[in-house]
């Protein structure tokens, strides 16, 4: 069995991702179908005194997988926009990526007309 | 990465331009005459053309509505999914798009489309064979002989999951340092083929997707059997890369980018399999009781 941590922690993570997603649309995340479904599922399968319940573990596994999906997509999009989303870089930007700057030439390059 | 984008863009265009009678998601031909200002400009993305996303229950399952228009697949079939949770997850994907629709982030939608349209026209046997074929070249069965630290790392990290799989299915898998890979007995393949045959077509599409992402049948089985979390499976799949990163340093726009993409794809595939095979596992449990 994969160790998943506490279900409450997974739920908090999921709600955080829902908040991130709905920050864009401006609507409260509590109005979404995903929020209602998650709360219903987590309430219906709340932790009981059982040490290990197969069905409950299965649901928690799905929730943790969904959390991983939402989190990874968010971070992937952030990296994509930062590094890959804008096409080819200019010379200045490319130099900046590796911590370099282009030389400053206040008077302009000598050989230019 | 970019290789898949023209296809996605075409898909978006077809999705939007297809207009039969009745309300659908067609919004007419959009202005697609974007001239890239520089070479290698990324492909243009569709604007988010809808406000509200909702779910309705139809005859064939759950459908997605974008502003009262029904969502269609690339082959213009009605988009219906068998489980409510999957429909909600797909609707959330569409609802979470900001100004433009980023198809490369919508893995669950993509998987549903693949299952509905079956663009490769494969039947169940072919899907199973495609998945089991990965066993011959399974990532975690190929071992290095040097350097010593990596040898030990592979042994410590990969052996437990191979052992577990061998015990769970009562088969022999083994590992090898030879370029030819381990010799998998025919019986192992038979057992796994008959195990995979118990899944339905939708779940099999997901399994094949996960196997192809992780390049490992054993790790995919660990995910299906709730033995590994997605994070663990991805770490094991990228074990050598992680070792090299520790040694030579991490490059955010290559290593982290691939890590997050692989995690997202693997998580989507795993969730898809679990949600699509849910009804069959419930029946299974009732029979056991």
């Amino acid at each position: 069995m994969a160790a998943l941590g506490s279900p409450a922690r997974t739920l908090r993570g999921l709600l955080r991702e829902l908040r991130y997603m709905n920050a864009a649309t401006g609507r409260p995340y509590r109005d979404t179908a995903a929020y209602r479904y998650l709360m219903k599922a987590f309430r219906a399968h709340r932790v009981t005194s059982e040490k290990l319940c197969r069905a409950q573990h299965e649901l928690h596994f799905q929730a943790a997988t969904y959390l991983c999906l939402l989190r990874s997509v968010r971070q992937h999009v952030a990296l994509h926009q930062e590094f890959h989303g804008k096409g080819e870089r200019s010379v200045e930007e490319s130099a900046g990526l590796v911590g370099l700057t282009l030389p400053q030439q206040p008077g302009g390059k000598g050989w230019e007309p | 990465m970019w290789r898949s984008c023209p296809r996605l863009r075409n898909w978006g265009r077809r999705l939007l331009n297809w207009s039969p009678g009745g309300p659908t998601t067609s919004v007419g031909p959009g202005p697609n005459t974007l001239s890239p200002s520089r070479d290698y400009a990324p492909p243009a993305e569709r604007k988010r053309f809808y406000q509200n996303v909702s779910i309705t229950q139809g005859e064939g399952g759950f459908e997605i509505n974008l502003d009262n228009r029904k969502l269609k697949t690339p082959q213009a079939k009605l988009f219906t999914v068998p489980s409510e949770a999957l429909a909600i997850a797909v609707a959330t994907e569409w609802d979470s798009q900001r100004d433009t629709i980023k198809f490369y982030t919508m893995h669950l939608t993509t998987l549903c489309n693949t299952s509905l349209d079956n663009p490769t026209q494969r039947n169940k046997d072919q899907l199973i064979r495609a998945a089991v074929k990965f066993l011959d070249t399974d990532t975690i069965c190929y071992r290095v002989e040097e350097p010593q630290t990596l040898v030990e790392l592979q042994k410590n990290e990969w052996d437990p999951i191979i052992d577990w799989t061998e015990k769970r299915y009562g088969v022999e898998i083994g590992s090898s340092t030879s370029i030819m890979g381990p010799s998998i007995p025919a019986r192992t393949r038979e057992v796994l083929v008959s195990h995979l045959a118990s899944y339905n077509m939708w779940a099999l599409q997901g399994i094949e997707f996960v196997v192809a992402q992780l390049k490992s049948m054993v790790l995919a089985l660990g995910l299906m059997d709730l033995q590994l979390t997605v994070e663990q499976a991805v770490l094991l799949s990228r074990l050598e890369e992680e070792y090299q990163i520790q040694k030579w340093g991490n490059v955010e726009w290559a290593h982290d980018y691939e890590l997050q993409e692989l995690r997202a794809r693997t998580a989507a595939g795993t969730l898809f399999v679990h949600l699509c095979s849910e009804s069959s596992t419930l029946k299974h449990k009732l029979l056991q009781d």
Side-chain angles (χ1 to χ4, degrees):
Chain A
M1 290 276 160
L4 295 168
S6 90
R9 198 182 148 85
T10 309
L11 180 61
R12 273 202 297 277
L14 280 166
L15 295 185
R16 182 188 299 131
E17 295 303 321
L18 288 186
R19 274 199 296 276
Y20 273 122
M21 278 195 291
N22 284 65
T25 52
R27 273 172 301 196
Y29 72 99
R30 284 165 194 271
D31 286 353
T32 58
Y35 174 79
R36 284 194 296 268
Y37 185 87
L38 282 172
M39 291 311 281
K40 206 178 90 194
F42 268 89
R43 283 208 181 107
H45 301 272
R46 226 179 300 193
V47 184
T48 58
S49 55
E50 295 155 314
K51 281 283 180 216
L52 186 69
C53 171
R54 176 83 184 162
Q56 190 184 303
H57 182 78
E58 201 168 313
L59 274 166
H60 189 198
F61 182 88
Q62 285 176 10
T65 307
Y66 191 48
L67 173 60
C68 177
L69 171 64
L70 294 182
R71 193 183 277 158
S72 309
V73 165
R74 179 168 57 81
Q75 287 171 352
H76 177 238
V77 169
L79 285 170
H80 186 82
Q81 280 170 348
E82 176 77 24
F83 295 111
H84 298 266
K86 295 190 280 288
E88 207 178 349
R89 284 186 192 84
S90 69
V91 179
E92 288 85 357
E93 282 171 335
S94 307
L97 269 184
V98 287
L100 300 175
T101 50
L102 294 183
Q104 294 287 322
Q105 293 183 324
K109 291 172 186 168
W111 59 86
E112 278 177 354
Chain B
M1 172 69 221
W2 292 124
R3 253 178 297 155
S4 62
C5 282
R7 208 183 61 223
L8 289 174
R9 193 171 38 158
N10 288 339
W11 173 50
R13 209 179 294 148
R14 251 182 300 161
L15 172 82
L16 300 172
N17 292 347
W18 191 76
S19 53
T24 65
T25 52
S26 57
V27 289
N32 235 325
T33 51
L34 255 174
S35 58
S37 54
R38 284 193 302 225
D39 289 342
Y40 309 121
E45 285 166 349
R46 270 274 163 189
K47 267 190 189 157
R48 176 176 166 146
F49 56 87
Y50 51 89
Q51 290 299 315
N52 296 308
V53 185
S54 59
I55 301 161
T56 48
Q57 193 166 10
E59 284 170 20
F62 295 87
E63 298 161 10
I64 311 284
N65 298 313
L66 306 175
D67 281 349
N68 298 326
R69 292 166 175 161
K70 287 189 192 309
L71 180 64
K72 303 259 176 180
T73 68
Q75 289 182 14
K77 284 183 195 154
L78 184 63
F79 188 99
T80 51
V81 293
S83 108
E84 189 191 2
L86 185 58
I88 290 173
V90 170
T92 307
E93 268 184 353
W94 282 86
D95 205 20
S96 66
Q97 303 301 313
R98 296 193 173 196
D99 308 327
T100 55
I101 304 173
K102 296 179 174 61
F103 287 112
Y104 58 86
T105 64
M106 301 162 76
H107 302 297
L108 287 173
T109 307
T110 311
L111 278 164
C112 292
N113 279 330
T114 311
S115 294
L116 285 166
D117 285 347
N118 196 6
T120 49
Q121 298 288 327
R122 283 182 296 177
N123 59 29
K124 201 169 172 179
D125 289 341
Q126 286 169 312
L127 269 180
I128 293 173
R129 238 180 295 147
V132 174
K133 202 173 153 226
F134 267 87
L135 196 62
D136 294 323
T137 54
D138 203 299
T139 302
I140 69 170
C141 296
Y142 274 83
R143 303 298 168 83
V144 293
E145 283 169 329
E146 51 160 11
Q148 194 54 40
T149 44
L150 184 55
V151 173
E152 273 169 32
L153 188 68
Q154 292 188 340
K155 193 168 146 31
N156 295 337
E157 299 293 327
W158 283 347
D159 277 354
I161 184 71
I162 291 187
D163 290 346
W164 181 85
T165 311
E166 286 179 337
K167 268 195 211 109
R168 159 82 170 76
Y169 292 96
V171 295
E172 191 188 322
I173 296 172
S175 60
S176 164
T177 55
S178 135
I179 189 82
M180 303 302 289
S183 56
I184 309 279
R187 198 188 147 268
T188 305
R189 221 161 309 192
E190 281 165 28
V191 169
L192 291 181
V193 165
S194 61
H195 170 70
L196 288 180
S198 65
Y199 285 94
N200 61 32
M201 271 298 275
W202 282 62
L204 278 174
Q205 295 273 10
I207 290 174
E208 203 231 335
F209 181 77
V210 173
V211 171
Q213 297 306 319
L214 295 173
K215 312 283 184 284
S216 168
M217 181 83 210
V218 178
L219 292 178
L221 286 173
L223 280 173
M224 300 312 136
D225 293 327
L226 317 182
Q227 186 62 22
L228 294 170
T229 64
V230 174
E231 284 90 344
Q232 286 168 339
V234 167
L235 176 72
L236 290 178
S237 174
R238 290 164 38 94
L239 194 62
E240 178 169 357
E241 200 170 342
E242 296 289 345
Y243 171 80
Q244 302 292 357
I245 288 171
Q246 277 194 355
K247 193 163 179 188
W248 303 103
N250 187 38
V251 178
E252 197 182 17
W253 66 83
H255 295 135
D256 282 353
Y257 185 82
E258 278 169 17
L259 172 69
Q260 298 302 343
E261 188 173 24
L262 185 60
R263 266 192 195 162
R265 284 163 169 269
T266 310
T270 309
L271 191 65
F272 186 78
V273 176
H274 284 284
L275 292 181
C276 288
S277 52
E278 211 162 41
S279 56
S280 63
T281 55
L282 275 177
K283 267 180 220 153
H284 188 62
K285 272 191 199 107
L286 286 174
L287 285 175
Q288 273 184 340
D289 284 342

